Amino acid sequence: MTPSPQALIGAALLAAGRPVTRREVADLLGLPEEAAARALEAFAGTLRDAGLGFEVEAVAGGYRLVVPPALSSHLAPLLAPPPLPPLSAAALEVLAVIAYRQPVTRAEIEAMRGGSAGTVVTLQERELVKVVGRSEAVGQPLLYGTTERFLLEFGLTGLDDLPPLEGADFSHLLRG
């Protein structure tokens, strides 16, 4: 018995443990990408209509199953480990500089901020930024960029989803 496309999509999104790309769904179903996109939408609609307590979210260039925000407060006792402490204002500034200007060196970050970029280590430990190469400048300093985890944590499908810089209030992007 061959499983239905919806069963395969649901199983893939649940089992992967990471966002599954449209191309991967197309390969799994043996369909062109556009047909796979329609199958993903149909699956998302089925979940929405059934009210089963999870939904499909497009994030980081793929799709994953998530708990709707309206239900997350009811699940708090089951969730572990507790969230990391919020990032400091300085860490958020450094993260914003990296996100908007990547790839960028520590010296460039410090010049833009007018202060130390010491929080880069914290951002690396939280897997929000990583070394993406070396600059051609004298001494070949490290270049930093954001990670897929950055996209996941901030609910972005890609860097194009970052809000415009001028007068932006970024507090709505912080998830817990």
Side-chain angles (χ1 to χ4, degrees), residues 7 12 14 24 26 35-36 49 75 77 90 107 111 135 147:
L14 182 64
E24 289 173 318
D49 295 345
L75 302 175
S135 171
T147 63

Side-chain angles (χ1 to χ4, degrees), residues 17-165:
R18 60 170 175 76
V20 177
T21 67
R22 189 166 66 173
R23 174 80 258 149
E24 289 173 318
V25 171
D27 290 345
L28 180 69
L29 300 177
L31 297 172
E33 277 195 55
E34 291 307 315
R38 288 191 298 275
L40 276 160
E41 284 302 316
F43 178 71
T46 298
L47 288 181
R48 241 186 336 271
D49 295 345
L52 296 175
F54 49 97
E55 60 189 32
V56 176
E57 177 183 55
V59 65
Y63 301 87
R64 67 178 179 177
L65 291 176
V66 296
V67 172
L71 297 179
S72 60
S73 64
H74 299 286
L75 302 175
L78 302 174
L79 303 177
L84 291 170
L87 291 171
S88 67
L92 284 173
E93 284 178 14
V94 169
L95 184 58
V97 169
I98 294 170
Y100 281 96
R101 303 290 184 203
Q102 63 186 300
V104 63
T105 65
R106 184 182 289 254
E108 291 168 329
I109 296 167
E110 290 173 350
M112 285 180 225
R113 282 194 67 233
S116 171
T119 58
V120 168
V121 173
T122 300
L123 296 172
Q124 285 180 292
E125 288 170 353
R126 290 193 181 193
E127 299 176 2
L128 297 172
V129 300
K130 65 181 179 182
V131 174
V132 296
R134 289 196 171 270
S135 171
E136 296 292 322
V138 174
Q140 295 186 320
L142 298 174
L143 290 168
Y144 296 94
T146 56
T147 63
E148 185 173 303
R149 180 168 186 120
F150 166 78
L151 297 174
L152 292 170
E153 292 294 324
F154 287 86
L156 304 169
T157 56
L159 294 175
D160 292 339
D161 289 345
L162 286 169
L165 278 176

